[in-house]
Amino acid sequence: MFTLWVLLTTVGLVSCYILPDPQFSLSAKGGEFKSEDIPGLKNLYFIYKVNKGTELLRKAEKGADGIWRYVDALMENVDEVDYYSQGYLDGLIFGGSHQVWKRVPLATLPPRRMRGAVSFRDDFNGNHLDTNHWTVQVTATGEYHKEFQVYTNDHRNVYVKNGKLYIKPTLAVDSGHFTENDLYHGVLDVKKTWGTCTFSGNRGCYREAKDGLLPPLLSGRIDSKPTLKYGQVVVRAQIPRGDWIWPAIWMRPTNSPYGGWPQDGEIDFMEAACNEVAYWGKNDNHGIKRIHSTLHFGPDSAHDHHVSGEKVKEHGDWHEFHTYKMDWSPDHIIISVDDDVILKMTVADGTTLWNQYKFQGTNPWAHGNKIAPFDQQFHMILNVAIGGTYGMFNDKTHYAYPKPWHNTDKDPLKNFWEGRHNWLPTWHGDDVAMIVDYVEFRHM
């Protein structure tokens, strides 16, 4: 369908052109406007109102297929969109007819489609990480697992390239901040080196080598500023390959209404040990052939209950792009990879998480919903850790060579670093990075 548009210019000239009517659709990308091209069209703009709000003007881009497009990735709670187009031909401005898009009633939506609008999406299309969306953590804390890395804001550890986010571990001795001698005899002052320190716990801001080797690896962790309570979370990402690398896509509550961990809950979308060889049993390779998801919750720090699931590849491994998704409601949490369910937890009607798992003592979630503590705002965390003395790398697991450290060692970082002749040859370029294509939150 086409529109004839007549424009009287300021110099009294009248010109007639036929412009295609613009089209609008709402998808996982957000709100997408598009229009066919016509000869001589130099620029095209879409002018639109969402839910009869403020009028917006956005410039379209012409694709290789000859279609002009603009995607508003931040549209949320969209029920109606009024829109039209304007373009430049022969130095004059022309427009298409007004169009109105309205949400299709829920009953006509395809099964399993989330009816909520996109509340947050990052496609990492800029030249730098958008710090309006993410907080870059800078700390040597090592978390509770006493991992071997420092999280930095260095562009070699956290950066955006070709529409992808890279979180990449590097050697501290390659950073220009530390020499081999510094690791054994120097001082790590995180704030002095990187301009800030975001967490001081577990010696996160300052260390001296006299207390043990300084962390020999640098890496990245970012926390989302947008949050979500119920809906759908989707991450398309590729996990690293390389010995002792531990990537994670996970979520934690933004506040702490129930008293701390694990009372406040934790959602581990995806974790993996990225060694090519890591046998728990004779034929049970739990290295990069395996990914797993876990929900953590419990009445106190001594009673961490978890619901877990895993996927193991019989052929190949997980070092390629996959889509990790969580569907989250007041009744259930379902985590999947490429629409294949990894983990499902459902709270039955007439009960609560507390009663369903038969916890004893004082119920910290007594005033929460049935799925408490998973009834609050959570934010996303993306990180790549290395090693650690508690968590991913068990002393009893069979690896391709003897594990360089034991979890009970006095100085595990020193033993790990001095065993690098075995593990460093498994690290190859960007293969050691977790590469993220996009992150998306949708409300219910």
Side-chain angles (χ1 to χ4, degrees):
M1 181 178 179
F2 296 89
T3 298
L4 182 65
W5 186 268
V6 181
L7 178 71
L8 180 63
T9 70
T10 56
V11 295
L13 298 178
V14 178
S15 298
C16 298
Y17 285 91
I18 297 176
L19 294 182
D21 286 340
Q23 300 174 14
F24 174 81
S25 62
L26 191 64
S27 69
K29 297 178 182 180
E32 182 177 18
F33 300 87
K34 61 183 181 180
S35 180
E36 296 180 11
D37 190 33
I38 62 173
L41 185 61
K42 300 299 183 183
N43 290 296
L44 186 72
Y45 294 83
F46 294 110
I47 299 93
Y48 60 97
K49 295 180 180 180
V50 178
N51 298 337
K52 302 187 184 299
T54 303
E55 188 171 82
L56 303 174
L57 183 147
R58 297 292 184 264
K59 186 177 181 181
E61 297 290 338
K62 184 179 177 181
D65 58 359
I67 302 298
W68 294 85
R69 291 183 175 87
Y70 174 74
V71 177
D72 185 339
L74 298 179
M75 278 194 178
E76 59 179 62
N77 301 322
V78 181
D79 294 314
E80 181 177 315
V81 181
D82 298 87
Y83 62 99
Y84 62 98
S85 60
Q86 281 188 352
Y88 286 84
L89 296 95
D90 298 336
L92 302 178
I93 303 174
F94 298 88
S97 66
H98 280 74
Q99 308 289 323
V100 178
W101 175 94
K102 293 186 178 182
R103 178 178 294 278
V104 177
L106 180 61
T108 67
L109 291 176
R112 294 177 54 84
R113 179 173 176 177
M114 299 298 293
R115 62 187 175 95
V118 174
S119 62
F120 167 63
R121 183 179 171 103
D122 199 333
D123 289 285
F124 306 107
N125 286 328
N127 296 321
H128 305 283
L129 182 71
D130 189 341
T131 53
N132 292 314
H133 294 167
W134 302 96
T135 298
V136 180
Q137 299 295 344
V138 182
T139 178
T141 178
E143 300 290 350
Y144 302 105
H145 311 290
K146 298 183 179 178
E147 300 144 12
F148 301 161
Q149 78 286 331
V150 183
Y151 290 133
T152 84
N153 54 14
D154 192 290
H155 69 276
R156 287 166 288 193
N157 300 124
V158 180
Y159 59 95
V160 171
K161 180 177 70 173
N162 298 329
K164 304 286 192 296
L165 166 70
Y166 288 71
I167 302 179
K168 182 177 179 179
T170 59
L171 304 183
V173 295
D174 291 340
S175 68
H177 298 300
F178 304 95
T179 64
E180 181 87 6
N181 185 67
D182 291 331
L183 296 181
Y184 287 89
H185 306 290
V187 169
L188 170 64
D189 187 326
V190 172
K191 185 174 182 180
K192 182 177 180 180
T193 305
W194 289 285
T196 186
C197 182
T198 58
F199 184 74
S200 62
N202 300 324
R203 299 188 300 155
C205 291
Y206 186 85
R207 296 189 184 197
E208 296 184 17
K210 66 180 180 63
D211 299 319
L213 191 82
L214 299 182
L217 275 298
L218 311 180
S219 192
R221 165 179 162 164
I222 61 173
D223 295 24
S224 73
K225 293 180 179 179
T227 63
L228 185 72
K229 173 185 172 182
Y230 306 141
Q232 187 180 85
V233 180
V234 182
V235 181
R236 184 171 184 268
Q238 172 179 288
I239 67 172
R241 176 186 284 124
D243 289 357
W244 318 118
I245 301 177
W246 178 3
I249 301 171
W250 52 304
M251 299 185 78
R252 288 281 290 136
T254 303
N255 300 308
S256 185
Y258 297 123
W261 190 93
Q263 299 98 303
D264 290 319
E266 178 178 311
I267 302 169
D268 297 336
F269 261 61
M270 185 288 305
E271 294 182 281
C274 292
N275 298 50
E276 289 200 47
V277 177
Y279 284 95
W280 286 15
K282 186 176 181 180
N283 298 307
D284 192 12
N285 191 349
H286 279 200
I288 197 172
K289 287 181 173 291
R290 168 183 175 261
I291 55 172
H292 69 94
S293 304
T294 307
L295 302 177
H296 291 274
F297 54 99
D300 54 63
S301 58
H303 298 89
D304 166 33
H305 186 86
H306 56 270
V307 176
S308 298
E310 65 178 39
K311 290 292 177 182
V312 178
K313 279 188 174 289
E314 294 184 8
H315 305 287
D317 58 42
W318 291 99
H319 179 64
E320 54 190 13
F321 279 97
H322 295 279
T323 301
Y324 302 92
K325 180 171 67 176
M326 176 176 68
D327 289 308
W328 175 20
S329 80
D331 301 299
H332 67 254
I333 293 176
I334 302 171
I335 298 175
S336 60
V337 55
D338 301 331
D339 291 324
D340 189 8
V341 173
I342 306 174
L343 172 159
K344 181 176 181 179
M345 182 184 73
T346 300
V347 183
D349 290 341
T351 188
T352 64
L353 206 64
W354 175 270
N355 293 327
Q356 184 164 299
Y357 289 95
K358 300 179 181 179
F359 291 117
Q360 301 295 317
T362 302
N363 181 1
W365 315 316
H367 301 291
N369 291 352
K370 60 186 290 187
I371 204 169
F374 303 106
D375 63 343
Q376 56 179 308
Q377 298 289 335
F378 275 64
H379 63 274
M380 172 160 285
I381 303 169
L382 304 170
N383 72 273
V384 175
I386 311 295
T389 58
Y390 174 76
M392 187 58 69
F393 302 104
N394 194 294
D395 286 344
K396 296 181 180 180
T397 301
H398 175 75
Y399 302 101
Y401 48 85
K403 185 181 170 186
W405 80 99
H406 292 94
N407 291 341
T408 56
D409 285 348
K410 182 179 179 180
D411 195 345
L413 277 78
K414 176 176 178 291
N415 295 337
F416 167 76
W417 179 241
E418 292 179 353
R420 64 188 179 277
H421 59 282
N422 282 323
W423 57 261
L424 195 53
T426 72
W427 289 31
H428 301 289
D430 287 343
D431 280 354
V432 302
M434 180 161 68
I435 307 174
V436 183
D437 184 15
Y438 67 87
V439 174
E440 180 181 276
F441 294 177
R442 278 181 173 268
H443 287 301
M444 281 187 65

